[in-house]
Amino acid sequence: QVHLTESGGGLVQAGGSLRLSCSASGTLSKINVMGWYRQGAGKEREAVAQISNWGSTTYLDAVKDRFTISRDNNNDAVYLQMNSLKPEDTGTYYCTVNQWPLSAGKVDYWGQGTQVTVSS
């Protein structure tokens, strides 16, 4: 069992920055992918960014060049640096873990979510 705890959400003006953090407790598989999903009001939940424990990353096209995902394998933590925020980035952001065996789109564990609100 893995428990994920997020922090770092908040209210920011358009153009501002926020950094989300997520810490995992429990046992992660040797090969895993951690990441962030988000869901805005009335929108589908979408994958924002993911990073494997060997450092491979993927990003949603809408956040490329603005968001950067990173992780600390020694502490089972993942971070999302969000710059040049836009009102459409508003939503609840969820930390996720995809354990071995990996499968595209599979999420084994979800955090409780942290709210990000970007005002125009």
Side-chain angles (χ1 to χ4, degrees):
Q1 189 74 14
V2 174
H3 182 69
L4 302 171
T5 303
E6 303 114 330
S7 61
L11 172 64
V12 65
Q13 287 190 327
S17 298
L18 282 174
R19 178 177 166 88
L20 304 184
S21 300
C22 172
S23 178
S25 61
T27 303
L28 296 182
S29 54
K30 269 192 169 181
I31 297 174
N32 64 77
V33 175
M34 298 185 78
W36 296 91
Y37 278 63
R38 70 183 181 188
Q39 186 167 23
K43 297 182 181 179
E44 297 279 324
R45 191 173 292 190
E46 59 186 357
V48 176
Q50 298 185 63
I51 183 167
S52 67
N53 59 320
W54 63 94
S56 177
T57 59
T58 59
Y59 292 94
L60 181 69
D61 283 348
V63 308
K64 279 180 183 175
D65 301 323
R66 298 188 297 122
F67 290 11
T68 303
I69 190 169
S70 60
R71 65 184 286 169
D72 178 352
N73 287 331
N74 290 329
N75 293 299
D76 291 337
V78 64
Y79 309 96
L80 186 68
Q81 178 66 43
M82 306 185 292
N83 298 328
S84 302
L85 282 161
K86 304 176 180 180
E88 51 264 43
D89 294 318
T90 294
T92 302
Y93 283 68
Y94 299 91
C95 179
T96 62
V97 169
N98 182 356
Q99 297 270 59
W100 181 262
L102 303 179
S103 178
K106 175 172 72 75
V107 175
D108 293 296
Y109 298 100
W110 296 85
Q112 80 284 357
T114 186
Q115 179 67 31
V116 171
T117 303
V118 184
S119 63
S120 57

